[in-house]
Amino acid sequence: MKVRNIGITMGLTTVLLAAGCGSKEEDAASANNSISEQVEYKIIGIEPGAGLTGLTENTLEEYDNLEGWELEESSTAGMLTLLGQAIENEEPIIVTGWAPHYKFTQYDLKFIEDPKGTLGEVESIHTIARLGFEEEMPNAYKILDAFEWEVEDMEKITFDAQTSSIEEASADWIESNQDKINGWLEGTEKVDGEEIDLVSTPWDSERASSQVLATVLEQQGYDVTVSDVDPAILFEAVANGKADASISPWLPTTHNSFYEKYKEDLVELGPNLTGTQNGFVVPEYMDIDSIEDLEPKE
């Protein structure tokens, strides 16, 4: 399998943490501040092009009590670094998060309630393909159409990959789940070197699913290339035929704007994983249950 990283300027924000030594009185005063004050009225986000980033921006506009709040755009890696540092010091932090993701296995975290539903309800990850793909590559189409697994499968790979790699963790999962894979392959035949271009988003969850599917396709004789791209480019690539398929779109909320734009020019094969969720995530030790518990910046 060939993996390509498409060069997209994300405009990432570099976040610097500064620790100062203050008096005990200052520390006590800080501890008595509201959670909103302690996190400086900021939500730590990820890449600017992510669907979750757009949902968060909309959330800041829809909730009156988030007046004056800011989304600190960063990267997935940057967000996870700040989250880990905050937890190590038992400090408050609010991040944009999603499940499945290994951080829920690594840390004791919780989603806070979103009464307005602006961050979306529980949704699914779907499979899409270019027009004509089924007719030109019927065996590959059958495999993609049959591909389906569970949240626990994806989280198992992404968690194990923290001490190895996505490739190794995926290979171990495949070895332990041959019955499931045989179900995906039922009714298909092997081919001899047919090329398939898959597009994926550059996050561990989707890297895991794409790695598993690519390996299964390669075992069936396909020459697979996986390209990691921004969600907007992912839909565009499938719609204009530059890519054959993707198993990464989150619907009906996270990537809905992209799907609505291109849905007439692609085929939607249905969900391949159900039970995904977006939202504001905090450590369990934080005494907050809902977005509505936050306060506006004065």
Side-chain angles (χ1 to χ4, degrees), residues 2-4 6 8 125-130 144 196-203 206-207 209-211 213-214 217 224-249 255 266 272:
K2 299 181 286 293
V3 179
R4 296 182 297 188
I6 305 300
I8 302 171
I125 305 178
H126 288 235
T127 301
I128 60 173
R130 63 174 173 81
L144 265 71
I196 294 182
D197 286 315
L198 301 178
V199 280
S200 176
T201 48
W203 301 300
E206 279 63 47
R207 290 179 61 219
S209 57
S210 294
Q211 179 66 41
L213 180 61
L217 288 169
V224 184
T225 298
V226 178
S227 300
D228 292 336
V229 300
D230 181 90
I233 294 178
L234 181 152
F235 279 87
E236 181 182 2
V238 174
N240 64 25
K242 291 184 178 179
D244 293 308
S246 177
I247 54 172
S248 300
H255 296 143
L266 52 80
N272 59 63

Side-chain angles (χ1 to χ4, degrees), residues 46-185:
I46 55 173
E47 293 80 3
L52 180 53
T53 299
L55 294 175
T56 301
E57 291 169 344
N58 181 56
T59 298
L60 296 183
E61 294 178 0
E62 292 295 323
Y63 280 86
D64 292 339
N65 61 303
L66 296 182
E67 178 71 29
W69 280 68
E70 297 179 5
L71 171 63
E72 187 73 51
E73 291 181 345
S74 177
S75 65
T76 300
M79 177 273 289
L80 291 171
T81 296
L82 293 180
L83 177 63
Q85 291 173 341
I87 290 174
E88 182 178 356
N89 296 309
E90 293 192 14
E91 296 172 343
I93 187 171
I94 304 175
V95 304
T96 59
W98 63 95
H101 192 276
Y102 70 83
K103 63 182 176 291
F104 287 95
T105 302
Q106 186 176 13
Y107 302 122
D108 195 8
L109 303 171
K110 63 182 179 182
F111 284 102
I112 61 175
E113 295 176 6
D114 171 22
K116 292 181 179 291
T118 54
L119 291 163
E121 304 297 332
V122 175
E123 53 182 342
S124 303
I125 305 178
H126 288 235
T127 301
I128 60 173
R130 63 174 173 81
L131 299 178
F133 182 65
E134 180 178 11
E135 293 75 17
E136 296 171 29
M137 308 184 78
N139 287 291
Y141 183 91
K142 286 182 181 179
I143 295 171
L144 265 71
D145 195 24
F147 173 71
E148 186 175 7
W149 61 345
E150 308 296 329
V151 168
E152 293 76 14
D153 296 319
M154 183 179 279
E155 288 189 335
K156 168 67 173 171
I157 293 175
T158 57
F159 182 70
D160 290 349
Q162 301 311 299
T163 55
S164 58
S165 67
I166 288 289
E167 292 77 14
E168 291 178 34
S170 297
D172 290 342
W173 185 89
I174 288 171
E175 185 176 350
S176 301
N177 290 272
Q178 280 299 318
D179 288 345
K180 185 172 290 189
I181 291 167
N182 289 339
W184 303 343
L185 299 177

Side-chain angles (χ1 to χ4, degrees), residues 240-284:
N240 64 25
K242 291 184 178 179
D244 293 308
S246 177
I247 54 172
S248 300
W250 286 42
L251 297 171
T253 303
T254 304
H255 296 143
N256 185 61
S257 62
F258 306 128
Y259 176 70
E260 288 296 324
K261 181 177 180 180
Y262 294 107
K263 66 181 181 180
E264 300 300 326
D265 299 313
L266 52 80
V267 180
E268 196 272 302
L269 285 72
N272 59 63
L273 183 149
T274 58
T276 63
Q277 184 176 357
N278 289 309
F280 289 172
V281 173
V282 301
E284 277 283 0

Side-chain angles (χ1 to χ4, degrees), residues 22-36:
S23 66
K24 291 182 179 179
E25 290 78 8
E26 289 173 335
D27 291 342
S30 177
N32 289 329
N33 289 343
S34 69
I35 286 176
S36 301

